[in-house]
Amino acid sequence: MDKESLNASDRKLIAKLVDAGQQHLFADWDAPGTADEAKAAFLALLKKTDKSYPGGLAGYISNARKLLAEAKRGENPFEGFVPHHPNTIDLTAFDATYDHYEALGQKQFDKVGIVLVAGGLGERLGYNGIKLDIPVEVVETTPYIAHYAACLKAMEARMESPRPVPFIIMVSQDTSAKTLQTLESNNYFGLRKEQVHILKQELVPAISDNDGSLALKEKYELILKPHGHGDIHMLFHTSGLAAKLEKEGIEHLLFIQDTNGQVFNAIPAALGVSVEKGYDFNSIAVNRIPGEAVGGLAKLVREERELTLNVEYNQLDPMLRATVSPEGDVPNDQGFSMFPGNINVLVIRMASYVRILEQSQGIIAEFVNPKYDDESKTSFKKPTRLETMMQDLPKLFGPDEKVGVTIFDRRWSFSANKNNMTDAAAKHAVDSPPESAATAESDFYLAGRMRLAATGTKVDEAAEELILGVPLTPGPKVLLRPSFAMTLAESREKFSGCSISGEATLVLDGKDISLEEVELSGHSALIVKACDGAKVTVKGAFENEGFELVKLTAEELASDSVPEYLRIRGYRFKNRGAATYEFDQPGKYVVGASS
Ligand code: UGB
């Protein structure tokens, strides 16, 4: 390859990059005829990265120079801001206020799109697949993606005039093929293919110095790195999808993460709050223990400017010490920080979102975090890159945009699966949330028990045990599927005079199932599934051997013949005779212990 064989677009790009100070990318090129394929691949990759960033590579380099100069000067983006407690709505109690917001939120289901950011590789978990494929529970083995799809279907079933809920999934080079494969091979888990929008995030070039020089691994080989979950905003803009959905009547987007089985428990009420308060941005939060490795939500005030934002936990404490609290982040009477924890579940109002995307080209509050060689800050230990986080959108807000924080009970709304068992055990040992497959599953049942208890059902609880150093409460395992109930009010209508013992299991899947005086004792398990149009009434006491928790042996833990999703939790459940009733034809049915 020589200069003559370059096409017009290659030349244009090279000229643009040389103008942007990137001559080094094209220096030392071999003579024409040598390494032509490598040169062509290099140019193709440069073009791809140029195209995927608003403003192209020249824009990226110019943003990098600006941010690197600020970093070198040691500028603190929060300089002069004083942290205050943010405006919060506390929904940690299941009271009349909670019901009020759930009812309001449910009415909004037909005007909402669900956005799932699933481009993360999950390095801390070390699972050999995509996290969306991991089962959130292993009584019935429901992958996260299947559970989320069921939640969308349940939302649709509760609309006055049902319409498909747009489901936007952000994938990356690491997760794209497997996510598509899982959707295709499972028939989109009952969703319509057209309602699922896949947006793919691309990597960005690494930068080797304060001048924004793109880093090379070797000749013709660019170093690329992830740009962060804030890419979702850029993709909403560049794809035109935000504007399109707004035209189709979508008023709010709800952003969720890849492994949080409980998130839909909070969604109806969170939406209700956004609607009633007119929030442009509503962060779903949980009470946070000071020092916990979760970003804190704070209202930052400087003269006339006021911003409610996530402040990463490592920045919050120094900021507090330098301003309002010499002791740093101190606990209140209940042991919680005055700055609630960000779980990165966001409700964003579409109208303001589309406007801000237009103004910013979807580039949201990028930052850079170079590791310098020494105090002169002239060179880096390794190449850096620009990053962006989805929760930083309010950094672009003005005085007219309203930001709120809605606090939910932690295990009702949040329990992620991020850590392998060894790290999870180490975290548990220092009282930090283990965030592992086992704890996510244990909390998923706990959230089911919370819903059940809110119906007036008597719910016993088994004692917590440790499996390979990770805590698990074995029961009762309560799986009230989204088809069965989306709100507490709806749940309450379906139970009267029931009780469930600590080791029992209850699975209810279907909109028209009700339980009267049902008693599950000992290890008993009851599974009832009803199709649309099947009205099932369940009555009486059930006694059977239910599900047994079986710990994996050392051989099983090391064996490829045991599914990896079991090995990452250290146990399985064995069905010893659960009472199971499935109704796949519409009609009226009564189920008793002896039927
Ligand atoms: N993700 C992407 O889709 N693309 C990416 O490039 C990166 C991630 P992590 P993180 O739960 O307690 C967040 O890695 O970023 C997706 C908040 O920033 O699990 O360390 C990925 O697939 C933090 O404030 O989390 O921390 C996943 O779905 C706190 O809320 C999601 O982004 C923290 O989560 C999060 O990625 C938390």
Side-chain angles (χ1 to χ4, degrees), residues 117 119-120 124 170 201 228-229 257-258 312 342 344 391 418:
V117 291
R124 284 171 283 172
M170 182 170 78
Q201 60 178 147
H229 39 65
Q257 303 201 30
D258 49 16
E312 280 307 319
N342 165 48
N344 251 6
Q391 63 267 40
K418 297 195 183 201

Side-chain angles (χ1 to χ4, degrees), residues 48 169-174 176 198-202 235:
K48 188 175 164 196
I169 308 179
M170 182 170 78
V171 295
S172 65
Q173 186 173 291
D174 293 320
S176 164
I198 304 283
L199 298 176
K200 185 173 170 202
Q201 60 178 147
E202 299 294 346
L235 292 169

Side-chain angles (χ1 to χ4, degrees), residues 323-342:
T323 52
V324 286
S325 169
E327 293 94 55
D329 194 4
V330 285
N332 64 12
D333 308 348
Q334 289 137 13
F336 298 127
S337 161
M338 88 194 246
F339 303 98
N342 165 48

Side-chain angles (χ1 to χ4, degrees), residues 90-163:
D90 189 332
L91 294 184
T92 51
F94 291 162
D95 53 12
T97 309
Y98 199 100
D99 286 344
H100 164 75
Y101 284 122
E102 277 204 324
L104 260 182
Q106 180 164 332
K107 284 199 200 123
Q108 189 73 3
F109 282 174
D110 57 352
K111 300 184 196 72
V112 170
I114 303 293
V115 186
L116 169 61
V117 291
L121 186 55
E123 275 167 293
R124 284 171 283 172
L125 183 63
Y127 184 75
N128 284 308
I130 50 167
K131 290 170 83 180
L132 289 178
D133 271 344
I134 299 174
V136 55
E137 51 81 15
V138 292
V139 164
E140 295 201 304
T141 315
T142 311
Y144 280 97
I145 181 70
H147 173 61
Y148 294 148
C151 291
L152 266 74
K153 299 291 294 174
M155 287 170 73
E156 290 166 11
R158 281 152 184 82
M159 293 176 191
E160 266 174 33
S161 323
R163 64 178 277 185

Side-chain angles (χ1 to χ4, degrees), residues 116-124 131-132 170-172 175 201 203 226-232 256-259 292-296 310-313 341-345 385 388-391 414 416-418 435:
L116 169 61
V117 291
L121 186 55
E123 275 167 293
R124 284 171 283 172
K131 290 170 83 180
L132 289 178
M170 182 170 78
V171 295
S172 65
T175 61
Q201 60 178 147
L203 300 170
H227 189 224
H229 39 65
D231 270 347
I232 186 63
I256 63 174
Q257 303 201 30
D258 49 16
T259 61
E292 205 186 314
V294 173
N310 172 62
V311 182
E312 280 307 319
Y313 64 95
N342 165 48
I343 59 168
N344 251 6
V345 178
R385 88 287 202 173
T388 159
M389 299 197 291
M390 68 179 191
Q391 63 267 40
F414 177 61
N417 178 2
K418 297 195 183 201
E435 300 200 318

